[in-house]
Amino acid sequence: MSESGNQESAATPNDTGRPPRPSVGNQVTVVLGAQWGDEGKGKVVDLLAQDADMVCRCQGGNNAGHTVVVDSVEYDFHLLPSGIINPKVTAFIGNGVVIHLPGLFEEAAKNESKGNGLKGWEQRLIISDRAHIVFDFHQAVDGIQEQQRREQAGKNLGTTKKGIGPVYSAKAARSGLRICDLLSDFSQFSERYKVLAKQYKSMYPTLEMDVDGELAKLKTFAEKIEPMVRDGVHFMYEALHGPPKKILVEGANAALLDIDFGTYPFVTSSNCTVGGVCTGLGMPPQNVGAVYGVVKAYTTRVGIGAFPTEQSNDVGELLQTRGKEVGVTTGRKRRCGWLDLVLIKYAHMINGFTAIALTKLDILDVFSEIKVGMSYKVDNQMIPHFPANQEVLHRVEVEYETLPGWKCDTSAARSFEDLPETAQNYVRFIEEQLGVPVKWIGVGKSRESMIQLF
């Protein structure tokens, strides 16, 4: 993970008597999902976090779900950066993240009970004072909104009902409350909380809430988190400009779920592409180093929304059962289909991937032939881009290339050479089409099953 520790030095002072160009400082390494989420980002982060000094989350909330297996123990992370599993790591939750405090402590307790992976987490977690707070009523509103959408349009967005949409809406409407408000004057915080609660109650008359009960809980949480809270911008600046550090940023959700670039409206409420790293942590783009895109060897999607390469047939079913494709956060079955390179190229245009982590290659072991989506046609016309409009995306015809399968077990492979030639060819084909090298190949659940190529 050497890229993230790079320090770029300042230019030498010039003879004009003016200060030299400031040093860039440490670079951060970024891990981002390149499809619709569930690509296996947690595993790539876990790999890189083994020699990291700091791991950050920059957007989303506990609508994300990352699973990490260490010493046969499966840990589930939603809000905590999964890199916190390394006892030497400082975990940082940036200002772009929305925090449900009961969810945070529940998640920590649940993982603590499984093994020693989270020992002393309270001493190693830093929370930005500018992060917005998700309240219980935001979660209740999320459920009501989803119900209304179902009644009005006969379909839902497939939200996780974690209150993420409502809290980002409140943030944009400038009525949200932040961690710094909770830790300042509690009576003023309580007043603002009650005003917000009243607003929601007038918009959603069926909304049930226990204002005093939640305020009492929030007061307790305030005491618990106070030692963890810092001015996030100052903290990040010190980390970037102090001694050399390996800093890792763990993206949540994925490119096609991005509020701007995803398959709108079936998206999340934050920027889960590379721009969200700068705005969600309070750091300049010059400090972004390597950007790793995580790509599953096939495609999955949770909930509704267009999915051009979806296979509503035996292929989709086989991918679903073999890949155990069930959402970590929602428990919903994932829809499955072939790898879609149009979509990955689009994600690369936005994120500028340095390299790719190709995960779950072993799930394709049973197929005698494997299809890859190469281009889209609309009304028999090839289109050179990824359509923004949902109706158009629903109508695209995918042009496929069929590659031979390898029909043998790859899960024991520990080097590229261990893979059957046809599996190697599949990887090389993806690299050539994207113009981006594959740095890791995942062939199983454990840390050991990530083959590193360079």
Side-chain angles (χ1 to χ4, degrees):
M1 205 191 113
S2 55
E3 292 91 341
S4 57
N6 291 349
Q7 276 215 333
E8 286 195 21
S9 56
T12 49
N14 53 39
D15 49 17
T16 62
R18 293 159 75 191
R21 181 169 60 83
S23 94
V24 172
N26 293 318
Q27 304 259 284
V28 303
T29 293
V30 183
V31 177
L32 298 173
Q35 290 151 304
W36 275 292
D38 314 306
E39 302 92 350
K41 293 179 292 293
K43 217 158 92 200
V44 179
V45 169
D46 176 54
L47 208 70
L48 292 171
Q50 289 179 66
D51 69 341
D53 301 297
M54 193 169 141
V55 182
C56 316
R57 269 282 301 272
C58 62
Q59 44 70 230
N62 58 350
N63 57 334
H66 294 169
T67 307
V68 178
V69 180
V70 184
D71 301 330
S72 308
V73 181
E74 201 166 285
Y75 297 93
D76 286 336
F77 295 99
H78 299 278
L79 195 53
L80 287 166
S82 59
I84 200 167
I85 209 101
N86 173 352
K88 294 192 271 298
V89 154
T90 298
F92 178 51
I93 295 179
N95 58 276
V97 178
V98 292
I99 303 173
H100 183 243
L101 290 165
L104 177 76
F105 285 96
E106 212 173 285
E107 180 184 323
K110 209 169 146 190
N111 281 315
E112 268 187 306
S113 68
K114 291 179 178 179
N116 294 325
L118 240 72
K119 232 182 177 155
W121 68 274
E122 300 100 319
Q123 279 75 53
R124 298 188 286 111
L125 179 66
I126 304 292
I127 299 171
S128 168
D129 57 351
R130 289 176 173 82
H132 278 250
I133 304 168
V134 181
F135 299 119
D136 289 349
F137 61 66
H138 285 126
Q139 299 195 333
V141 163
D142 214 352
I144 294 171
Q145 286 178 347
E146 190 75 330
Q147 202 177 335
Q148 287 177 349
R149 276 190 288 263
R150 203 173 302 129
E151 285 162 10
Q152 288 159 9
K155 58 185 179 186
N156 50 22
L157 277 182
T159 159
T160 56
K161 300 188 181 65
K162 299 287 184 187
I164 308 301
V167 80
Y168 275 118
S169 299
K171 177 179 177 174
R174 290 153 303 184
S175 57
L177 284 160
R178 305 190 289 177
I179 296 288
C180 56
D181 304 318
L182 175 64
L183 297 187
S184 186
D185 182 324
F186 194 75
S187 60
Q188 273 189 340
F189 173 84
S190 303
E191 285 314 305
R192 286 176 63 189
Y193 173 86
K194 285 173 185 169
V195 168
L196 191 57
K198 209 169 157 186
Q199 278 174 8
Y200 279 115
K201 186 72 179 161
S202 67
M203 283 192 285
Y204 305 99
T206 58
L207 183 63
E208 288 174 28
M209 53 173 100
D210 173 8
V211 170
D212 295 328
E214 191 171 4
L215 278 170
K217 279 195 288 188
L218 284 162
K219 199 169 171 51
T220 311
F221 285 128
E223 289 158 14
K224 278 183 161 181
I225 64 162
E226 193 168 14
M228 307 173 193
V229 177
R230 301 274 191 289
D231 180 300
V233 173
H234 186 256
F235 175 77
M236 200 66 207
Y237 186 83
E238 296 280 286
L240 292 171
H241 295 278
K245 260 194 177 73
K246 291 183 178 176
I247 303 170
L248 189 56
V249 182
E250 178 177 337
N253 319 115
L256 274 294
L257 292 172
D258 183 278
I259 184 76
D260 285 292
F261 302 111
T263 46
Y264 192 90
F266 306 105
V267 292
T268 192
S269 308
S270 61
N271 285 114
C272 15
T273 43
V274 74
V277 173
C278 297
T279 55
L281 294 174
M283 56 165 268
Q286 65 192 21
N287 291 93
V288 175
V291 180
Y292 296 129
V294 187
V295 175
K296 202 182 283 191
Y298 50 102
T299 314
T300 62
R301 174 161 207 178
V302 173
I304 59 172
F307 182 172
T309 63
E310 182 172 16
Q311 299 297 301
S312 307
N313 51 26
D314 295 352
V315 168
E317 204 130 302
L318 188 53
L319 288 169
Q320 202 277 324
T321 48
R322 273 188 62 78
K324 297 182 178 62
E325 294 295 350
V326 175
V328 180
T329 302
T330 57
R332 289 178 293 186
K333 264 190 175 183
R334 298 178 188 138
R335 298 153 61 193
C336 299
W338 296 119
L339 182 66
D340 184 340
L341 289 181
V342 180
L343 195 145
I344 311 291
K345 283 176 183 174
Y346 172 69
H348 175 50
M349 285 178 201
I350 299 160
N351 290 313
F353 298 131
T354 311
I356 294 288
L358 186 69
T359 61
K360 293 185 106 165
L361 185 73
D362 56 308
I363 304 306
L364 300 178
D365 288 353
V366 295
F367 292 94
S368 53
E369 55 177 45
I370 295 161
K371 290 186 174 182
V372 178
M374 302 296 289
S375 57
Y376 293 168
K377 269 184 173 176
V378 175
D379 302 331
N380 253 342
Q381 291 284 306
M382 196 83 80
I383 53 168
H385 58 272
F386 186 81
N389 179 275
Q390 276 303 284
E391 285 70 33
V392 175
L393 196 57
H394 271 291
R395 284 185 19 241
V396 300
E397 277 176 72
V398 183
E399 302 278 298
Y400 289 100
E401 178 115 1
T402 304
L403 302 173
W406 41 93
K407 294 287 283 181
C408 65
D409 186 356
T410 58
S411 63
R414 292 297 174 262
S415 72
F416 188 66
E417 292 65 40
D418 289 348
L419 292 172
E421 197 181 342
T422 33
Q424 293 183 19
N425 293 343
Y426 182 70
V427 175
R428 291 285 178 243
F429 179 79
I430 293 166
E431 284 187 320
E432 281 160 24
Q433 293 300 318
L434 296 178
V436 182
V438 170
K439 189 174 169 75
W440 296 277
I441 301 167
V443 291
K445 270 193 129 170
S446 67
R447 267 180 186 176
E448 300 68 47
S449 59
M450 283 295 269
I451 300 167
Q452 187 161 341
L453 273 65
F454 62 92

